Amino acid sequence: MVESFKAFVIDKEQDGKVKSQFQQLTTEDLPEGDVLIKVHYSGINYKDALATQDNNAVVQQYPMVPGIDLAGTIVESNAPGHDVGDKVIVTSYDLGVSHFGGFSEYARVKSEWIVDLPNTLTLEEAMIYGTAGYTAGLAIERLEKVGMNIEDGPVLVRGASGGVGTLAVQMLSEIGYKVIASTGKKDTADTLKSLGAKEVIDRLPIDEDNNKPLASSTWQACIDPVGGAGINYVTKRLQHSGSIAIIGMTGGNTYTNSVFPHILRGVNILGIDSVFTAMKLRQRVWRRLAKDLKPENLHSIKSVVSFDELPQQLDSVINHHNKGRIVIDFGVRQ
Ligand SMILES: NC(=O)c1ccc[n+]([C@@H]2O[C@H](COP(=O)([O-])OP(=O)(O)OC[C@H]3O[C@@H](n4cnc5c(N)ncnc54)[C@H](OP(=O)(O)O)[C@@H]3O)[C@@H](O)[C@H]2O)c1
């Protein structure tokens, strides 16, 4: 029986400002769900950092425990097929948005959100991947479905020093793609090359050239967690039938584009949503992350922090000082 436990809670004050603090909660405070999980690890995503900001569009109700990712063991279950002791991963859905999330020593969730931990992955490795890795994997899956393949030329990854970007560089390289990494952090070039990037370039647009609707064909595909004006820069440089997977908006949430890359070169824009992916596809992507890739290589991109360090780490993410993946270790040892 769990008496009380520590959680990171955000609330909206009367003046509309969002305030965050650690609190002791009981299981009575947790939302409805048929499975109670003891959280061993969580991870920090950009969305979690946004959730702590005033006027954010992430949190749907207050108070809220943010944290869109968690991995741990089931300690209570009313769900057939999910037993006490099972190691599980939960990412996205309503977690940390309208349902208390992973920045908590315990979480109660709906069993339909659960992915069983693949047996080639540790709980820590699952959170090095987290939503960032899962989303990069989902983007690769979608891009390959529309024709991306290792024979057809380089693949660009934007925001390469961030969570989604680093994992996309690592996964694509491991599969055999020639990866070009675009980053604003020059000091990450060696790390990105050690993860497999063949070339590291500056953030895009490097120098927005002219108003020409097309430029020379440069990349077969792009994984784009950055958004903004760079999308236009990239689409006019994709090869014939190339595709860009749009994931995020750290560099802006709007862009203007000409129709010409699409109608003259058959360029595709794919939208990637990791939150409500169908469970079958979700499980397939996790199986791929666990089996086709080499989880043991993930450890070079992690920074492991204690739960107490969470507030400072959220600040570093919102200010874009983070690199790779930040994993929160709740100190559970079995
Ligand atoms: N669609 C989905 O389901 C989904 C899933 C996961 C994440 N996302 C979104 O994807 C984005 C990235 O998430 P993340 O967790 O990887 O975040 P992150 O770890 O904070 O990485 C974001 C990266 O964006 C780049 N960046 C920041 N400001 C920029 C600017 N002004 N111009 C260009 N690049 C800039 C930086 O990379 P460099 O310094 O290397 O350039 C930064 O490291 C976020 O918008 C997030 O909400 C969406």
Side-chain angles (χ1 to χ4, degrees), residues 48-60:
D48 301 317
L50 279 180
T52 63
Q53 303 298 297
D54 294 335
N55 304 318
N56 73 79
V58 172
V59 178
Q60 302 300 311

Side-chain angles (χ1 to χ4, degrees), residues 45-47 131-132 135 158-165 182-185 203 225-226 246-251 272-275 317 320 322 324:
N45 294 280
Y46 187 68
K47 190 172 172 182
T131 287
T135 306
R158 298 184 69 207
S161 74
V164 175
S182 157
T183 180
K185 302 188 190 85
R203 278 187 188 165
V226 173
I246 296 187
I247 292 173
M249 37 114 219
T250 49
I272 303 298
D273 170 37
S274 63
V275 178
V317 172
H320 300 302
N322 57 311

